[in-house]
Amino acid sequence: MTTTAEPTPTPGTPGTTRPDPLDEIKIGGMGASRRRVEDNRFIRGKGHYIDDIVLPGMLHMEILRSPLAHARIRSIDTSKAWDIPGVRLVLTGEMMAARNLAWMPTLSYDTQAVLATDKVRFQGQEVAAVIADDPYIAKDACEAIVVDYEPLPVVVNPEQAQAPDAPLIRDDKTNQHDNTCFTWEVGDKTGTDRAFDQADLVSRITLHYPRSHPSPLECCGSIADFDRSTQKLTVYMTSQAPHIVRAAVALIAELPEHMIRIISPDLGGGFGNKVPVYPGYVVSILASILLERPVKWIEDRTGNLSSTGFGRDVYLDGEMALRRDGRILGVRMRSTSDHGAFFADAQPSKFKIGLMHSAFAAYDIPYAHLQATGVYTNKAPGGVAYRCSFRVTEAMFFQERMVQAAADDLGMDQAEFRRINLVKDDDFPHRTPYGFLTDSGQYEKCLQTALDAIGYDDFRRQQQEARTRGRLLGIGISTMTEPLGAGNSREYDILGIKMFDSAELRVHMTGKAILRTGARTQGQGHETTWAQIVAHELGLPADDVVVEEGDTDTAPFGMGTYASRSTPVAGAAVAMAARKVRAKARKIAAYLLEVAEEDVEWELGRFHVRSAPERGVTIQECAMAAYANMPDGLEPGLEANAYYDPPNLTWPFAAYVCTVEVDPLTGVWDVLRFVAVDDCGVRINPMVVEGQIMGGLTEAYAMASMQFITFDADGNCIGSNFMDYLLPTAWETPGYELHEVVTPCPHHPLGAKGIGECATVGGPAAYVNAVMDALKPYGVRNVDMPLLPDRVHEAIITGHDVSGAPPVRTDR
Ligand code: CDP
């Protein structure tokens, strides 16, 4: 008897029966509310954050911070600290200076002290560092350092900073003769002046956007690990932009770039707080190089809240030229922002979207002019874009508060006033008053959807009726668009590095894949949503795609995640890389199907012969053939990378409508309902998008109702802990009703626009407008945020505006 061996199947053999088409939602493609894969480890406590990392021989670093806001350093005595057993190194500014590292450049071309040498310029500034066997010894040793300070007069607000006799804070800078950090203007001044000449009415508003802090759940930290034998420096770091840090270390410290590896592990939130380079990172790197041991620095909550990048702290005022029929003719805006002692975040005046000039992009206004000033004060570095693209949050807040004031001054309904002035659907592309080109949107539809959902007309009736019974109801609207997705590379750069982003996709032979991008998720769900883009482009189930970000040795070069740029730029790069993979797979499919490439058609997950759809190969079969049965002359493997340089920013739109009831006896206000209609173009994962919106609206609520960091006359920071700087809990957080409108972005490969920060940017004005609407019978025009009950109550009993940062209590 003879036996015949089973023939070995050739990998990638074409099938001859046509399978059912793939269901994109079932494979977790675009539009699927796929559960967040990263939550699997986060909710089990298995996240791998910086403080979870323990390296052999690791030492611990603590930072000594200044108790004074402005003082000359006469001397620093570290001898007692050195005497403590377990102390390995005590670093001072002088020792840093000897290595040319006492100062570092900031993202905005300013300089920042790493460890103070001459003076301290804010309370909490880094003065010395101790590296020891454990963090407790390091802390004790910090307390043993004796610093002799000579106190100097303190400047805590722009008014003091700009006074003629103000002490010069940045006397370290040549040619710095006052406390002005920058002055800048943009817009058509002459045209705007003409618009005001023609106005029937001019409406004015003055606002303060209080200093706030991104306060991520995880504070900042780093572990520097220099290996003398390989000359390699590995730094684990809480960074939203690890490649930028690597480039900065290479260019500034003149270390070879290929010998620097920055790893950004799981991040417990960022919100802009983890964009700047902080002194702690730099000192831990130097300490590791000197000691040839890994050095860990973990910031505590007070350190984070009192010394890392703050947001906002801007004084805003301006006026609007109006025609009696409700048309806006022009706008003037002035902003004075308090940047603290060092201008540490990205330079807003350098960027086209930098300051407030994204304002009024959603409105059809011919002329606008902005004058912006930034000042130095004795406060921690400010200007960080907290869940925001540069100053867009302040811009939208000013815009929506101004719009409400103008409607009131005209005696016009605020919804109707917006309807008259919003850009119409067929007006795109639309040139904004500051010169940007917006490309798509259905603004009126968003607004109407929100008004219908909240029952606007009914509420107005209820409001009237409630007023007759002494109850104060109010309704606030905020309609906004914002620029998300920096670059393009022609106009945007950070420290000269052009802004674009990247993705690299490798499909393994079994059809599973790994995707890496130059972005860095901090909780936004990239591990989930990027895999969905691959599923959409290739038909690979999203579960078969693992996503990695944050390691400069493995991820392609990218500019990181902030300003909701990931989907507009890195997300687009993911689609482009997947399309390149598909193009190569098509060649393999043609070979396997024995037809010309032109005769091959794509359907989700499968190529088939155009004239014989039942003859086809799946993307997985192509993947196998790419390694085991590729055509002659075709490079083996199935992978691609893409660098994506967006042609324009994306411009999502939102209409937020909020109703409130204010208690006239106490000033306490409650949100009755909050309706949000967001148009972020095509949604990759609707559930993730909704999570982004709810989170953003909650941060907006916090800013509107409870959050502020202020300073007493001596520059003491009031708000450096969560007893003073409040985060809303589930108890206070309002419920949100979410709706969507979808206007695909015409230039994004998936039609998507960014969403991450829209609600934080547009939300605050909706809450404040609602409370101001409720207070209208009292003639109150403005209460500055936060709308604490005592401030609202003061407005009610006095009938006056309540302005500026809340006064500091000194009675406790
Ligand atoms: O840059 P960042 O990740 O903070 O903001 P984003 O690009 O707006 O994206 C935030 C999250 O929402 C990501 O997981 C995106 O993939 C997701 N998203 C989406 O599913 N659909 C959109 N149109 C925009 C964002």
Side-chain angles (χ1 to χ4, degrees):
M1 197 173 95
T2 54
T3 55
T4 330
E6 284 286 311
T8 314
T10 309
T13 311
T16 48
T17 50
R18 185 167 203 190
D20 291 338
L22 278 184
D23 180 335
E24 179 161 354
I25 299 298
K26 279 202 182 130
I27 65 164
M30 293 263 299
S33 282
R34 182 179 183 229
R35 284 197 179 179
R36 288 168 31 117
V37 291
E38 43 273 83
D39 288 353
N40 210 357
R41 61 179 193 283
F42 292 156
I43 60 175
R44 287 167 205 260
K46 298 286 183 194
H48 208 53
Y49 301 95
I50 191 94
D51 206 17
D52 296 320
I53 299 169
V54 176
L55 300 182
M58 191 169 76
L59 299 170
H60 299 265
M61 185 177 105
E62 270 294 324
I63 291 177
L64 176 71
R65 299 180 180 280
S66 167
L68 300 178
H70 200 193
R72 199 159 296 287
I73 297 176
R74 289 202 195 102
S75 65
I76 304 179
D77 179 357
T78 59
S79 53
K80 286 202 174 61
W82 280 105
D83 288 346
I84 295 177
V87 169
R88 304 290 174 147
L89 182 66
V90 184
L91 281 169
T92 61
E94 220 173 87
M95 294 161 78
M96 301 295 287
R99 292 163 179 88
N100 208 16
L101 284 173
W103 291 82
M104 61 181 181
T106 69
L107 291 175
S108 53
Y109 300 84
D110 195 4
T111 47
Q112 176 173 0
V114 178
L115 294 180
T117 45
D118 52 341
K119 298 202 293 192
V120 287
R121 292 174 171 84
F122 68 91
Q123 185 188 58
Q125 187 180 336
E126 300 79 359
V127 174
V130 175
I131 295 90
D133 289 348
D134 72 41
Y136 308 102
I137 297 174
K139 190 132 196 127
D140 286 349
C142 276
E143 284 170 16
I145 297 172
V146 181
V147 185
D148 184 8
Y149 293 106
E150 175 193 333
L152 296 169
V154 173
V155 168
V156 291
N157 59 44
E159 200 185 331
Q160 291 175 354
Q162 291 171 315
D165 57 347
L168 184 62
I169 296 167
R170 295 302 304 274
D171 49 356
D172 55 291
K173 293 175 81 172
T174 40
N175 301 326
Q176 180 79 39
H177 304 299
D178 58 25
N179 292 319
T180 306
C181 166
F182 65 83
T183 52
W184 194 60
E185 58 183 288
V186 68
D188 180 345
K189 187 170 183 320
T190 316
T192 308
D193 288 346
R194 221 174 22 242
F196 276 84
D197 289 344
Q198 290 160 5
D200 295 328
L201 184 82
V202 173
S203 182
R204 295 194 166 79
I205 197 152
T206 301
L207 305 166
H208 176 238
Y209 206 126
R211 185 166 261 238
S212 61
H213 196 280
S215 51
L217 280 184
E218 180 203 31
C219 301
C220 297
S222 57
I223 306 171
D225 184 11
F226 179 67
D227 183 338
R228 176 82 53 203
S229 64
T230 59
Q231 293 288 309
K232 183 132 187 174
L233 172 67
T234 304
V235 191
Y236 301 83
M237 181 188 281
T238 47
S239 175
Q240 296 176 222
H243 281 96
I244 302 295
V245 175
R246 185 184 66 180
V249 174
L251 295 170
I252 295 157
E254 295 183 6
L255 291 173
E257 196 172 358
H258 64 306
M259 288 296 164
I260 306 165
R261 180 180 189 185
I262 308 291
I263 301 172
S264 181
D266 281 337
L267 295 180
F271 309 111
N273 187 236
K274 292 170 180 168
V275 175
V277 171
Y278 294 116
Y281 301 152
V282 180
V283 180
S284 69
I285 291 173
L286 177 66
S288 178
I289 291 173
L290 294 175
L291 294 166
E292 297 185 24
R293 299 262 300 265
V295 173
K296 179 189 259 190
W297 165 64
I298 299 293
E299 184 182 61
D300 62 15
R301 177 61 61 193
T302 297
N304 183 261
L305 276 174
S306 62
S307 75
T308 58
F310 286 87
R312 331 296 190 229
D313 209 350
V314 182
Y315 294 80
L316 303 158
D317 77 280
E319 53 254 345
M320 193 172 247
L322 298 159
R323 225 167 51 191
R324 185 61 60 200
D325 64 2
R327 284 305 302 233
I328 305 171
L329 302 178
V331 185
R332 282 198 198 107
M333 298 162 66
R334 289 169 291 274
S335 81
T336 306
S337 42
D338 181 336
H339 281 269
F342 307 110
F343 188 5
D345 207 330
Q347 160 67 282
S349 65
K350 216 186 129 345
F351 289 88
K352 263 185 83 184
I353 51 166
L355 281 164
M356 306 275 295
H357 53 308
S358 51
F360 296 101
Y363 293 90
D364 186 10
I365 300 178
Y367 298 106
H369 183 253
L370 162 74
Q371 266 181 309
T373 305
V375 297
Y376 292 117
T377 58
N378 292 119
K379 289 149 106 172
V384 82
Y386 164 23
R387 205 167 180 177
C388 154
S389 303
F390 304 101
R391 294 280 181 194
V392 69
T393 309
E394 293 90 315
M396 292 308 131
F397 185 69
F398 176 83
Q399 168 190 300
E400 289 308 297
R401 292 286 296 117
M402 179 80 252
V403 162
Q404 167 149 320
D408 285 349
D409 287 345
L410 280 167
M412 191 173 263
D413 175 77
Q414 45 174 306
E416 181 56 19
F417 181 63
R418 285 178 171 81
R419 218 177 268 125
I420 292 172
N421 288 290
L422 283 174
V423 175
K424 308 285 175 287
D425 298 0
D426 47 12
D427 282 348
F428 292 103
H430 171 76
R431 187 66 68 184
T432 78
Y434 290 113
F436 297 100
L437 205 62
T438 55
D439 48 33
S440 56
Q442 301 176 70
Y443 301 166
E444 206 177 324
K445 181 174 174 190
C446 284
L447 175 61
Q448 198 53 50
T449 307
L451 296 176
D452 291 346
I454 206 121
Y456 187 73
D457 295 335
D458 266 2
F459 186 85
R460 283 285 181 217
R461 276 191 290 276
Q462 281 172 37
Q463 184 184 36
Q464 284 308 324
E465 197 252 334
R467 272 181 193 161
T468 60
R469 289 185 286 113
R471 283 179 62 203
L472 299 177
L473 303 186
I475 186 161
I477 303 176
S478 175
T479 42
M480 52 75 78
T481 180
E482 60 159 334
L484 296 181
N488 57 70
S489 68
R490 294 181 310 285
E491 293 170 306
Y492 301 96
D493 71 80
I494 290 186
L495 295 173
I497 308 164
K498 303 282 187 191
M499 297 194 79
F500 51 82
D501 231 289
S502 59
E504 180 197 271
L505 177 62
R506 283 189 201 164
V507 183
H508 310 310
M509 69 176 76
T510 54
K512 314 293 178 193
I514 180 161
L515 174 83
R516 295 187 171 108
T517 85
R520 183 56 185 129
T521 188
Q522 309 128 44
Q524 296 94 326
H526 295 179
E527 288 171 47
T528 306
T529 52
W530 293 168
Q532 294 185 246
I533 297 175
V534 177
H536 172 72
E537 294 293 337
L538 294 181
L540 294 176
D543 287 347
D544 289 352
V545 183
V546 71
V547 175
E548 278 185 12
E549 292 179 339
D551 182 341
T552 57
D553 263 11
T554 55
F557 184 92
M559 302 301 279
T561 290
Y562 38 86
S564 300
R565 63 186 298 277
S566 303
T567 304
V569 199
V574 174
M576 301 315 270
R579 287 175 194 183
K580 285 187 185 173
V581 163
R582 197 168 70 205
K584 183 166 182 189
R586 178 186 291 277
K587 291 187 195 305
I588 298 169
Y591 166 73
L592 296 174
L593 293 165
E594 297 172 337
V595 293
E597 215 184 310
E598 307 76 68
D599 295 330
V600 171
E601 286 242 313
W602 170 252
E603 61 187 285
L604 189 65
R606 182 176 180 267
F607 294 100
H608 65 252
V609 178
R610 180 166 297 132
S611 55
E614 69 287 353
R615 287 196 61 227
V617 279
T618 63
I619 187 75
Q620 288 86 352
E621 288 165 335
C622 292
M624 179 58 83
Y627 297 89
N629 182 22
M630 57 281 199
D632 280 348
L634 189 76
E635 195 179 326
L638 193 57
E639 59 186 68
N641 61 15
Y643 283 82
Y644 187 78
D645 188 358
N648 192 4
L649 298 153
T650 70
W651 295 85
F653 182 81
Y656 301 130
V657 183
C658 172
T659 55
V660 296
E661 173 151 17
V662 181
D663 180 347
L665 297 178
T666 61
V668 170
W669 54 279
D670 290 314
V671 175
L672 302 175
R673 288 179 65 199
F674 197 109
V675 168
V677 182
D678 278 88
D679 180 355
C680 60
V682 177
R683 295 181 178 202
I684 302 161
N685 181 323
M687 181 197 67
V688 167
V689 167
E690 291 188 357
Q692 294 289 306
I693 297 166
M694 290 188 204
L697 290 176
T698 304
E699 287 184 321
Y701 175 68
M703 281 175 238
S705 64
M706 62 181 80
Q707 277 181 351
F708 65 99
I709 288 185
T710 191
F711 293 78
D712 70 12
D714 295 327
N716 294 310
C717 174
I718 315 296
S720 58
N721 58 70
F722 282 155
M723 295 295 284
D724 291 318
Y725 189 69
L726 304 179
L727 300 187
T729 66
W731 178 254
E732 294 89 17
T733 300
Y736 308 115
E737 300 164 44
L738 307 185
H739 300 262
E740 69 170 0
V741 167
V742 175
T743 316
C745 174
H747 62 76
H748 188 280
L750 302 165
K753 305 176 183 183
I755 186 65
E757 64 196 32
C758 294
T760 331
V761 169
Y767 295 107
V768 177
N769 281 347
V771 176
M772 290 308 113
D773 187 57
L775 299 195
K776 225 165 144 183
Y778 296 93
V780 177
R781 200 172 167 80
N782 183 50
V783 177
D784 275 332
M785 292 193 293
L787 302 180
L788 302 171
D790 56 333
R791 286 156 74 83
V792 175
H793 187 242
E794 184 185 331
I796 291 172
I797 55 173
T798 62
H800 295 147
D801 290 0
V802 179
S803 306
V808 178
R809 285 178 55 180
T810 49
D811 58 346
R812 45 176 182 160

